[in-house]
Amino acid sequence: MSTFQELGLNDDLLQAITDLGFIKPSEVQEKAIPILLDSETDLVALAQTGTGKTAAFGFPMLEKIDVNSRTTQGLILSPTRELCLQITNEMKQYGKYCKGLNVVAIYGGSSITDQAREVKRGAQIIVATPGRMKDMISRRMVDISKIQYSVLDEADEMLNMGFKEDITDILSHTPEDKNTWLFSATMPREVATIAKKFMSTPQEITVGNKNESTSNVSHEYYLVNSRDRYQALKRLSDANPDIFSVVFCRTKRDTQKVAEQLIEDGYSAGALHGDLSQNQRDLVMKSFRNKQIQTLVATDVAARGIDVDDITHVINYQLPDEIETYTHRSGRTGRAGKTGVSMVIVSKSEVRKIKSIERIIKRQFEKKDIPDGMQICEVQLMSLANKIHNTEVNHEIDKYLTSINELFEDSTKDELIKKFFSVEFTRFYNYYQKSKNLNVSDDGGRDRDGGRDFGGKSNSTRYFINVGSKDGFDWMKLKDFLKEVLELGRDDVFKVEVKDSFSFFNTENELKEKVLAFFTDYKHEGRFVNVEVSENRGGGGRRNDRNRGKRRDDRKGGGRRDDRNSGFGNRSERRRSDGDSRPRRSDSNSGNSNASRPRRSRR
Ligand code: AMP
């Protein structure tokens, strides 16, 4: 392992490095800096974000440019405004002892004339987003005809974002003999094509394997029903009290919705997506960096510029459409030598994607269970206990101690501790005591009711229904039939078990009334369908079910049918008389107040 001195950097840079507290070069720096310092060459570097790549191209560029000249000599293209600003900031810090250095950022959403003025003052290095750069070239606000070094940072992202034409156009305004340094986390075909087109015999360096995730990040997935995604997200957050996370959603709409719901539920969250104005995005990012926001909910595009070093968790609320994008998402954590966790919330239909991601990142996922309510209460309690243990006493309290002591005169230490902790614990306990098991098992069955829930109560109801395979049903047909007649959602009917002449199925408890009410008078193919609550809620004890089934079966065509009025043929009429019987999900994203967790005093 070399030192920065051994890499051959000059004193101005070494001084800045000391100020920044960098002790030794990172792998990409160790590999790239000597090559770029010692030769005039093109370079392709495969390196994840967070590996120190800005300095890997920044130090050599700063060393090589002539600060006494006002000509623009270096151009760094980056995919987003955030990243552009970040690189500019880093370059300014690295070059703070390079007298006369002027690094200018140009990006959309800010005054173009102000930026042009900055450039005119003499910018040796321009850091730009492709769109604004192209605009300024066409308006002759910049001159890049004499640049000697160009950097394509996060090249895969720039191409993903559709900047290929802009990049081609921009580079056509630069000298043929300049050096191009391309940095990319992944090497899809498009990046290889660009490298071939714009570079001549580039040297190549790879940090880790292509597309590979850094070893600092562990990968976990959680299998839940789609409808439980939001609940799962909240639990993962609650189970990690000191979480500082980015939650990735697929669309701007979902991003906004999840963030709003989190805020409503008492979390310190913010949304980052392309429908926000630059000003709003800046404010959100500022709050996130300052840790006023603990959870940033973001789209992939908006999150590209996020280079915040302390992110503890990346949560994939939904998997990205392009599997390669996962590498970028998970790369937001485990930066600058720290460890991080990348969590994926998946539904059954998506779980196969995990295998594809494993192949790409060359790492194994660990399947984990969404913690249950009691586990969360315990984590929260212990976290509080630790915080209290480590809290420095504020002696301003001393003057109130006499009155407080009087109040607790009769309490033992044990009682006091219990009371004290109950203040926080009870809030979580009350919220989580009726929480259900959100996990779905791998083997095709559902775990949602598999265990007993917190407090030993089950959240789902198991029903007996007097139709079975003799009536032409298999589990899929019965599930579809129930969903249709009851107007239920995709996952509302589960654990469907079809026997010869009867079957069982489950719904959430909250649907019980609706299900039973509907089947009081319903005929299927001329026969009354009878539905009753089965004693066996989880469906585990088959004998009970079977016995019960027999009994019910024996009754088939018996008294009850006769008891009923003939004809409840018109279902819609019946439903109308029932009023709105749509299931109300206490856990949906729709802002039901039941879904709010205890509000905690946020830092
Ligand atoms: P980057 O990949 O360039 O975005 O860098 C990620 C973070 O690592 C930034 O905050 C850098 O300031 C920091 N960094 C870069 N090089 C080093 C180094 N050699 N030692 C410690 N931190 C570094």
Side-chain angles (χ1 to χ4, degrees), residues 4 17 20-29 47-57 59 83 86-87 90 93-94 153-154 306-309 335-337:
F4 282 109
I17 288 167
L20 283 162
F22 296 177
I23 293 164
K24 52 182 199 266
S26 69
E27 189 183 345
V28 66
Q29 292 161 5
Q48 284 276 317
T49 167
T51 52
K53 61 189 167 60
T54 313
F57 61 74
F59 291 148
L83 191 56
Q86 239 150 344
I87 296 171
E90 294 259 321
Q93 281 186 299
Y94 301 158
D153 193 26
E154 304 221 351
I306 303 172
D307 281 7
V308 177
D309 287 343
R335 294 167 56 83

mmCIF file of all heavy atoms in Angstrom, residues 4 17 20-29 47-57 59 83 86-87 90 93-94 153-154 306-309 335-337, ligand 1:
data_model
loop_
_atom_site.group_PDB
_atom_site.id
_atom_site.type_symbol
_atom_site.label_atom_id
_atom_site.label_comp_id
_atom_site.label_asym_id
_atom_site.label_seq_id
_atom_site.Cartn_x
_atom_site.Cartn_y
_atom_site.Cartn_z
ATOM 1 N N PHE A 4 0.202 8.832 -0.206
ATOM 2 C CA PHE A 4 -0.065 9.855 -1.219
ATOM 3 C C PHE A 4 1.245 10.446 -1.745
ATOM 4 O O PHE A 4 1.358 10.769 -2.923
ATOM 5 C CB PHE A 4 -0.975 10.945 -0.647
ATOM 6 C CG PHE A 4 -2.427 10.532 -0.581
ATOM 7 C CD1 PHE A 4 -3.031 10.269 0.629
ATOM 8 C CD2 PHE A 4 -3.177 10.398 -1.746
ATOM 9 C CE1 PHE A 4 -4.368 9.889 0.684
ATOM 10 C CE2 PHE A 4 -4.518 10.013 -1.694
ATOM 11 C CZ PHE A 4 -5.110 9.761 -0.489
ATOM 12 N N ILE A 17 -4.703 17.210 1.261
ATOM 13 C CA ILE A 17 -5.039 15.835 1.659
ATOM 14 C C ILE A 17 -4.915 15.692 3.183
ATOM 15 O O ILE A 17 -5.767 15.108 3.843
ATOM 16 C CB ILE A 17 -4.130 14.819 0.917
ATOM 17 C CG1 ILE A 17 -4.543 14.753 -0.557
ATOM 18 C CG2 ILE A 17 -4.199 13.429 1.548
ATOM 19 C CD1 ILE A 17 -3.552 14.031 -1.461
ATOM 20 N N LEU A 20 -7.802 17.327 4.799
ATOM 21 C CA LEU A 20 -9.033 16.540 4.670
ATOM 22 C C LEU A 20 -9.024 15.303 5.557
ATOM 23 O O LEU A 20 -10.050 14.662 5.749
ATOM 24 C CB LEU A 20 -9.214 16.093 3.204
ATOM 25 C CG LEU A 20 -9.726 17.168 2.244
ATOM 26 C CD1 LEU A 20 -9.443 16.761 0.805
ATOM 27 C CD2 LEU A 20 -11.216 17.382 2.448
ATOM 28 N N GLY A 21 -7.842 14.970 6.040
ATOM 29 C CA GLY A 21 -7.729 13.808 6.926
ATOM 30 C C GLY A 21 -7.652 12.479 6.189
ATOM 31 O O GLY A 21 -7.844 11.424 6.792
ATOM 32 N N PHE A 22 -7.372 12.526 4.892
ATOM 33 C CA PHE A 22 -7.176 11.266 4.161
ATOM 34 C C PHE A 22 -5.827 10.694 4.584
ATOM 35 O O PHE A 22 -4.804 11.363 4.469
ATOM 36 C CB PHE A 22 -7.141 11.469 2.640
ATOM 37 C CG PHE A 22 -8.425 11.976 2.031
ATOM 38 C CD1 PHE A 22 -8.487 12.245 0.668
ATOM 39 C CD2 PHE A 22 -9.567 12.174 2.793
ATOM 40 C CE1 PHE A 22 -9.652 12.702 0.087
ATOM 41 C CE2 PHE A 22 -10.746 12.637 2.223
ATOM 42 C CZ PHE A 22 -10.785 12.915 0.865
ATOM 43 N N ILE A 23 -5.823 9.476 5.059
ATOM 44 C CA ILE A 23 -4.567 8.915 5.551
ATOM 45 C C ILE A 23 -3.840 8.139 4.469
ATOM 46 O O ILE A 23 -2.651 8.319 4.235
ATOM 47 C CB ILE A 23 -4.818 8.057 6.806
ATOM 48 C CG1 ILE A 23 -5.271 8.996 7.925
ATOM 49 C CG2 ILE A 23 -3.565 7.284 7.243
ATOM 50 C CD1 ILE A 23 -5.916 8.352 9.087
ATOM 51 N N LYS A 24 -4.589 7.283 3.788
ATOM 52 C CA LYS A 24 -3.939 6.541 2.694
ATOM 53 C C LYS A 24 -4.837 6.530 1.468
ATOM 54 O O LYS A 24 -6.068 6.667 1.587
ATOM 55 C CB LYS A 24 -3.600 5.119 3.143
ATOM 56 C CG LYS A 24 -4.764 4.374 3.739
ATOM 57 C CD LYS A 24 -4.303 3.013 4.196
ATOM 58 C CE LYS A 24 -5.454 2.089 4.366
ATOM 59 N NZ LYS A 24 -6.126 1.821 5.449
ATOM 60 N N PRO A 25 -4.223 6.333 0.300
ATOM 61 C CA PRO A 25 -5.033 6.342 -0.919
ATOM 62 C C PRO A 25 -5.978 5.148 -0.949
ATOM 63 O O PRO A 25 -5.648 4.074 -0.441
ATOM 64 C CB PRO A 25 -3.995 6.216 -2.045
ATOM 65 C CG PRO A 25 -2.674 6.425 -1.423
ATOM 66 C CD PRO A 25 -2.792 6.110 0.023
ATOM 67 N N SER A 26 -7.149 5.340 -1.537
ATOM 68 C CA SER A 26 -8.066 4.220 -1.726
ATOM 69 C C SER A 26 -7.574 3.415 -2.933
ATOM 70 O O SER A 26 -6.677 3.854 -3.657
ATOM 71 C CB SER A 26 -9.486 4.731 -1.961
ATOM 72 O OG SER A 26 -9.558 5.374 -3.209
ATOM 73 N N GLU A 27 -8.187 2.261 -3.139
ATOM 74 C CA GLU A 27 -7.707 1.369 -4.204
ATOM 75 C C GLU A 27 -7.725 2.051 -5.579
ATOM 76 O O GLU A 27 -6.757 1.995 -6.331
ATOM 77 C CB GLU A 27 -8.568 0.103 -4.233
ATOM 78 C CG GLU A 27 -8.011 -0.967 -5.158
ATOM 79 C CD GLU A 27 -8.917 -2.191 -5.245
ATOM 80 O OE1 GLU A 27 -9.819 -2.339 -4.399
ATOM 81 O OE2 GLU A 27 -8.715 -2.987 -6.187
ATOM 82 N N VAL A 28 -8.834 2.728 -5.867
ATOM 83 C CA VAL A 28 -8.929 3.352 -7.196
ATOM 84 C C VAL A 28 -7.892 4.474 -7.319
ATOM 85 O O VAL A 28 -7.309 4.689 -8.388
ATOM 86 C CB VAL A 28 -10.376 3.828 -7.505
ATOM 87 C CG1 VAL A 28 -10.818 4.943 -6.601
ATOM 88 C CG2 VAL A 28 -10.528 4.232 -8.958
ATOM 89 N N GLN A 29 -7.636 5.168 -6.230
ATOM 90 C CA GLN A 29 -6.624 6.236 -6.262
ATOM 91 C C GLN A 29 -5.233 5.645 -6.466
ATOM 92 O O GLN A 29 -4.428 6.150 -7.249
ATOM 93 C CB GLN A 29 -6.677 7.040 -4.965
ATOM 94 C CG GLN A 29 -7.960 7.860 -4.842
ATOM 95 C CD GLN A 29 -8.279 8.291 -3.427
ATOM 96 O OE1 GLN A 29 -7.513 8.074 -2.494
ATOM 97 N NE2 GLN A 29 -9.451 8.903 -3.253
ATOM 98 N N ALA A 47 -15.201 1.620 -11.271
ATOM 99 C CA ALA A 47 -15.198 1.800 -9.823
ATOM 100 C C ALA A 47 -16.563 2.285 -9.372
ATOM 101 O O ALA A 47 -17.203 3.090 -10.052
ATOM 102 C CB ALA A 47 -14.129 2.815 -9.421
ATOM 103 N N GLN A 48 -16.976 1.744 -8.265
ATOM 104 C CA GLN A 48 -18.240 2.139 -7.642
ATOM 105 C C GLN A 48 -18.166 3.560 -7.122
ATOM 106 O O GLN A 48 -17.089 4.049 -6.813
ATOM 107 C CB GLN A 48 -18.468 1.266 -6.403
ATOM 108 C CG GLN A 48 -18.912 -0.118 -6.671
ATOM 109 C CD GLN A 48 -20.408 -0.139 -6.858
ATOM 110 O OE1 GLN A 48 -21.128 0.498 -6.114
ATOM 111 N NE2 GLN A 48 -20.852 -0.855 -7.856
ATOM 112 N N THR A 49 -19.331 4.135 -6.974
ATOM 113 C CA THR A 49 -19.386 5.415 -6.284
ATOM 114 C C THR A 49 -18.981 5.184 -4.817
ATOM 115 O O THR A 49 -19.217 4.104 -4.275
ATOM 116 C CB THR A 49 -20.806 6.030 -6.391
ATOM 117 O OG1 THR A 49 -20.896 7.091 -5.479
ATOM 118 C CG2 THR A 49 -21.885 5.023 -6.088
ATOM 119 N N GLY A 50 -18.340 6.157 -4.243
ATOM 120 C CA GLY A 50 -17.947 6.017 -2.839
ATOM 121 C C GLY A 50 -16.575 5.406 -2.637
ATOM 122 O O GLY A 50 -16.136 5.198 -1.515
ATOM 123 N N THR A 51 -15.890 5.112 -3.730
ATOM 124 C CA THR A 51 -14.582 4.483 -3.602
ATOM 125 C C THR A 51 -13.442 5.508 -3.634
ATOM 126 O O THR A 51 -12.280 5.146 -3.582
ATOM 127 C CB THR A 51 -14.357 3.466 -4.744
ATOM 128 O OG1 THR A 51 -14.629 4.131 -5.985
ATOM 129 C CG2 THR A 51 -15.268 2.259 -4.604
ATOM 130 N N GLY A 52 -13.818 6.773 -3.760
ATOM 131 C CA GLY A 52 -12.802 7.824 -3.815
ATOM 132 C C GLY A 52 -12.382 8.166 -5.234
ATOM 133 O O GLY A 52 -11.270 8.642 -5.482
ATOM 134 N N LYS A 53 -13.292 7.964 -6.183
ATOM 135 C CA LYS A 53 -12.883 8.155 -7.583
ATOM 136 C C LYS A 53 -12.754 9.638 -7.966
ATOM 137 O O LYS A 53 -11.991 9.972 -8.860
ATOM 138 C CB LYS A 53 -13.787 7.385 -8.548
ATOM 139 C CG LYS A 53 -15.222 7.777 -8.539
ATOM 140 C CD LYS A 53 -16.015 6.773 -9.373
ATOM 141 C CE LYS A 53 -17.499 6.929 -9.161
ATOM 142 N NZ LYS A 53 -18.034 8.234 -9.508
ATOM 143 N N THR A 54 -13.476 10.511 -7.267
ATOM 144 C CA THR A 54 -13.338 11.936 -7.593
ATOM 145 C C THR A 54 -11.885 12.372 -7.403
ATOM 146 O O THR A 54 -11.318 13.078 -8.240
ATOM 147 C CB THR A 54 -14.257 12.799 -6.693
ATOM 148 O OG1 THR A 54 -15.548 12.194 -6.680
ATOM 149 C CG2 THR A 54 -14.360 14.214 -7.189
ATOM 150 N N ALA A 55 -11.305 11.916 -6.310
ATOM 151 C CA ALA A 55 -9.902 12.263 -6.072
ATOM 152 C C ALA A 55 -8.990 11.521 -7.046
ATOM 153 O O ALA A 55 -7.937 12.041 -7.425
ATOM 154 C CB ALA A 55 -9.518 11.929 -4.633
ATOM 155 N N ALA A 56 -9.423 10.342 -7.478
ATOM 156 C CA ALA A 56 -8.587 9.551 -8.394
ATOM 157 C C ALA A 56 -8.370 10.289 -9.717
ATOM 158 O O ALA A 56 -7.296 10.234 -10.299
ATOM 159 C CB ALA A 56 -9.216 8.179 -8.631
ATOM 160 N N PHE A 57 -9.418 10.992 -10.186
ATOM 161 C CA PHE A 57 -9.169 11.803 -11.401
ATOM 162 C C PHE A 57 -8.881 13.254 -11.039
ATOM 163 O O PHE A 57 -8.227 13.983 -11.771
ATOM 164 C CB PHE A 57 -10.325 11.693 -12.410
ATOM 165 C CG PHE A 57 -11.686 12.173 -11.929
ATOM 166 C CD1 PHE A 57 -11.969 13.531 -11.799
ATOM 167 C CD2 PHE A 57 -12.702 11.271 -11.654
ATOM 168 C CE1 PHE A 57 -13.223 13.969 -11.386
ATOM 169 C CE2 PHE A 57 -13.966 11.699 -11.230
ATOM 170 C CZ PHE A 57 -14.223 13.060 -11.100
ATOM 171 N N PHE A 59 -7.086 14.659 -8.398
ATOM 172 C CA PHE A 59 -5.689 15.007 -8.059
ATOM 173 C C PHE A 59 -4.827 15.136 -9.324
ATOM 174 O O PHE A 59 -4.151 16.147 -9.499
ATOM 175 C CB PHE A 59 -5.081 13.983 -7.091
ATOM 176 C CG PHE A 59 -5.681 14.001 -5.700
ATOM 177 C CD1 PHE A 59 -5.771 12.848 -4.946
ATOM 178 C CD2 PHE A 59 -6.123 15.194 -5.134
ATOM 179 C CE1 PHE A 59 -6.315 12.858 -3.659
ATOM 180 C CE2 PHE A 59 -6.663 15.222 -3.851
ATOM 181 C CZ PHE A 59 -6.766 14.044 -3.120
ATOM 182 N N LEU A 83 -24.503 15.644 -8.250
ATOM 183 C CA LEU A 83 -23.157 15.103 -8.374
ATOM 184 C C LEU A 83 -22.201 16.179 -8.897
ATOM 185 O O LEU A 83 -21.060 16.292 -8.444
ATOM 186 C CB LEU A 83 -23.168 13.885 -9.308
ATOM 187 C CG LEU A 83 -21.887 13.061 -9.322
ATOM 188 C CD1 LEU A 83 -21.510 12.592 -7.936
ATOM 189 C CD2 LEU A 83 -22.040 11.848 -10.246
ATOM 190 N N GLN A 86 -21.281 18.313 -6.127
ATOM 191 C CA GLN A 86 -20.415 17.592 -5.203
ATOM 192 C C GLN A 86 -18.978 17.523 -5.717
ATOM 193 O O GLN A 86 -18.026 17.745 -4.978
ATOM 194 C CB GLN A 86 -20.942 16.178 -5.040
ATOM 195 C CG GLN A 86 -21.274 15.894 -3.633
ATOM 196 C CD GLN A 86 -22.411 14.900 -3.533
ATOM 197 O OE1 GLN A 86 -23.137 14.630 -4.448
ATOM 198 N NE2 GLN A 86 -22.564 14.336 -2.446
ATOM 199 N N ILE A 87 -18.869 17.194 -6.999
ATOM 200 C CA ILE A 87 -17.519 17.096 -7.589
ATOM 201 C C ILE A 87 -16.831 18.459 -7.524
ATOM 202 O O ILE A 87 -15.657 18.574 -7.155
ATOM 203 C CB ILE A 87 -17.590 16.582 -9.046
ATOM 204 C CG1 ILE A 87 -18.151 15.156 -9.086
ATOM 205 C CG2 ILE A 87 -16.220 16.645 -9.718
ATOM 206 C CD1 ILE A 87 -18.467 14.643 -10.486
ATOM 207 N N GLU A 90 -15.641 19.057 -4.073
ATOM 208 C CA GLU A 90 -14.451 18.235 -3.762
ATOM 209 C C GLU A 90 -13.220 18.808 -4.463
ATOM 210 O O GLU A 90 -12.159 18.938 -3.856
ATOM 211 C CB GLU A 90 -14.655 16.790 -4.250
ATOM 212 C CG GLU A 90 -15.752 16.035 -3.527
ATOM 213 C CD GLU A 90 -15.245 15.072 -2.457
ATOM 214 O OE1 GLU A 90 -14.219 14.419 -2.692
ATOM 215 O OE2 GLU A 90 -15.885 15.003 -1.392
ATOM 216 N N GLN A 93 -11.907 21.718 -2.725
ATOM 217 C CA GLN A 93 -11.202 21.356 -1.483
ATOM 218 C C GLN A 93 -9.824 20.776 -1.785
ATOM 219 O O GLN A 93 -8.840 21.115 -1.148
ATOM 220 C CB GLN A 93 -12.018 20.331 -0.717
ATOM 221 C CG GLN A 93 -13.165 20.939 0.044
ATOM 222 C CD GLN A 93 -13.848 19.887 0.889
ATOM 223 O OE1 GLN A 93 -14.370 18.902 0.363
ATOM 224 N NE2 GLN A 93 -13.829 20.080 2.175
ATOM 225 N N TYR A 94 -9.781 19.901 -2.789
ATOM 226 C CA TYR A 94 -8.489 19.280 -3.145
ATOM 227 C C TYR A 94 -7.499 20.348 -3.623
ATOM 228 O O TYR A 94 -6.304 20.252 -3.398
ATOM 229 C CB TYR A 94 -8.648 18.228 -4.250
ATOM 230 C CG TYR A 94 -9.583 17.079 -3.920
ATOM 231 C CD1 TYR A 94 -10.173 16.318 -4.943
ATOM 232 C CD2 TYR A 94 -9.882 16.733 -2.608
ATOM 233 C CE1 TYR A 94 -11.033 15.261 -4.655
ATOM 234 C CE2 TYR A 94 -10.748 15.688 -2.311
ATOM 235 C CZ TYR A 94 -11.318 14.959 -3.338
ATOM 236 O OH TYR A 94 -12.183 13.934 -3.058
ATOM 237 N N ASP A 153 -17.759 11.070 -15.798
ATOM 238 C CA ASP A 153 -17.973 10.425 -14.505
ATOM 239 C C ASP A 153 -19.334 9.739 -14.481
ATOM 240 O O ASP A 153 -20.302 10.262 -15.026
ATOM 241 C CB ASP A 153 -17.892 11.467 -13.384
ATOM 242 C CG ASP A 153 -17.795 10.789 -12.017
ATOM 243 O OD1 ASP A 153 -17.303 9.642 -11.970
ATOM 244 O OD2 ASP A 153 -18.210 11.395 -11.017
ATOM 245 N N GLU A 154 -19.386 8.576 -13.838
ATOM 246 C CA GLU A 154 -20.616 7.769 -13.812
ATOM 247 C C GLU A 154 -21.170 7.646 -15.230
ATOM 248 O O GLU A 154 -22.349 7.944 -15.502
ATOM 249 C CB GLU A 154 -21.646 8.362 -12.836
ATOM 250 C CG GLU A 154 -21.068 8.504 -11.436
ATOM 251 C CD GLU A 154 -22.028 8.129 -10.309
ATOM 252 O OE1 GLU A 154 -23.198 7.905 -10.580
ATOM 253 O OE2 GLU A 154 -21.552 8.052 -9.166
ATOM 254 N N ILE A 306 -26.526 11.525 -5.027
ATOM 255 C CA ILE A 306 -26.389 11.504 -3.572
ATOM 256 C C ILE A 306 -25.080 10.854 -3.168
ATOM 257 O O ILE A 306 -24.907 9.661 -3.302
ATOM 258 C CB ILE A 306 -27.531 10.711 -2.909
ATOM 259 C CG1 ILE A 306 -28.868 11.293 -3.307
ATOM 260 C CG2 ILE A 306 -27.382 10.726 -1.398
ATOM 261 C CD1 ILE A 306 -30.013 10.437 -2.831
ATOM 262 N N ASP A 307 -24.171 11.666 -2.722
ATOM 263 C CA ASP A 307 -22.928 11.108 -2.215
ATOM 264 C C ASP A 307 -22.817 11.511 -0.756
ATOM 265 O O ASP A 307 -22.070 12.404 -0.404
ATOM 266 C CB ASP A 307 -21.738 11.624 -3.042
ATOM 267 C CG ASP A 307 -21.636 10.859 -4.339
ATOM 268 O OD1 ASP A 307 -22.541 10.061 -4.634
ATOM 269 O OD2 ASP A 307 -20.641 11.049 -5.057
ATOM 270 N N VAL A 308 -23.591 10.875 0.042
ATOM 271 C CA VAL A 308 -23.565 11.141 1.481
ATOM 272 C C VAL A 308 -22.902 9.920 2.104
ATOM 273 O O VAL A 308 -23.297 8.792 1.814
ATOM 274 C CB VAL A 308 -24.995 11.345 2.027
ATOM 275 C CG1 VAL A 308 -24.985 11.561 3.526
ATOM 276 C CG2 VAL A 308 -25.661 12.534 1.331
ATOM 277 N N ASP A 309 -21.903 10.166 2.915
ATOM 278 C CA ASP A 309 -21.060 9.047 3.338
ATOM 279 C C ASP A 309 -21.640 8.150 4.423
ATOM 280 O O ASP A 309 -21.250 7.022 4.554
ATOM 281 C CB ASP A 309 -19.697 9.578 3.805
ATOM 282 C CG ASP A 309 -18.859 10.038 2.632
ATOM 283 O OD1 ASP A 309 -19.191 9.650 1.496
ATOM 284 O OD2 ASP A 309 -17.900 10.778 2.853
ATOM 285 N N ARG A 335 -20.015 3.462 2.037
ATOM 286 C CA ARG A 335 -19.057 4.353 1.395
ATOM 287 C C ARG A 335 -17.925 4.736 2.343
ATOM 288 O O ARG A 335 -18.073 4.646 3.552
ATOM 289 C CB ARG A 335 -19.761 5.622 0.929
ATOM 290 C CG ARG A 335 -20.771 5.376 -0.159
ATOM 291 C CD ARG A 335 -21.646 6.595 -0.335
ATOM 292 N NE ARG A 335 -20.842 7.774 -0.607
ATOM 293 C CZ ARG A 335 -20.389 8.114 -1.806
ATOM 294 N NH1 ARG A 335 -20.677 7.363 -2.838
ATOM 295 N NH2 ARG A 335 -19.667 9.197 -1.979
ATOM 296 N N ALA A 336 -16.849 5.189 1.738
ATOM 297 C CA ALA A 336 -15.697 5.710 2.483
ATOM 298 C C ALA A 336 -15.292 4.785 3.634
ATOM 299 O O ALA A 336 -15.101 5.212 4.768
ATOM 300 C CB ALA A 336 -16.002 7.127 2.998
ATOM 301 N N GLY A 337 -15.223 3.498 3.330
ATOM 302 C CA GLY A 337 -14.731 2.528 4.307
ATOM 303 C C GLY A 337 -15.740 2.086 5.350
ATOM 304 O O GLY A 337 -15.433 1.264 6.207
HETATM 305 P P1 AMP B 1 -16.077 9.569 -4.127
HETATM 306 O O1 AMP B 1 -16.087 8.145 -4.547
HETATM 307 O O2 AMP B 1 -15.079 10.364 -4.865
HETATM 308 O O3 AMP B 1 -17.440 10.181 -4.172
HETATM 309 O O4 AMP B 1 -15.577 9.626 -2.593
HETATM 310 C C1 AMP B 1 -16.330 9.168 -1.508
HETATM 311 C C2 AMP B 1 -15.916 9.836 -0.206
HETATM 312 O O5 AMP B 1 -14.664 9.353 0.226
HETATM 313 C C3 AMP B 1 -15.798 11.339 -0.302
HETATM 314 O O6 AMP B 1 -16.427 11.916 0.827
HETATM 315 C C4 AMP B 1 -14.307 11.599 -0.243
HETATM 316 O O7 AMP B 1 -14.031 12.839 0.371
HETATM 317 C C5 AMP B 1 -13.812 10.437 0.584
HETATM 318 N N1 AMP B 1 -12.440 10.025 0.226
HETATM 319 C C6 AMP B 1 -11.871 10.036 -0.986
HETATM 320 N N2 AMP B 1 -10.613 9.552 -0.917
HETATM 321 C C7 AMP B 1 -10.385 9.205 0.362
HETATM 322 C C8 AMP B 1 -9.263 8.637 1.053
HETATM 323 N N3 AMP B 1 -8.143 8.321 0.437
HETATM 324 N N4 AMP B 1 -9.381 8.439 2.379
HETATM 325 C C9 AMP B 1 -10.535 8.741 3.018
HETATM 326 N N5 AMP B 1 -11.619 9.269 2.419
HETATM 327 C C10 AMP B 1 -11.549 9.503 1.105
#
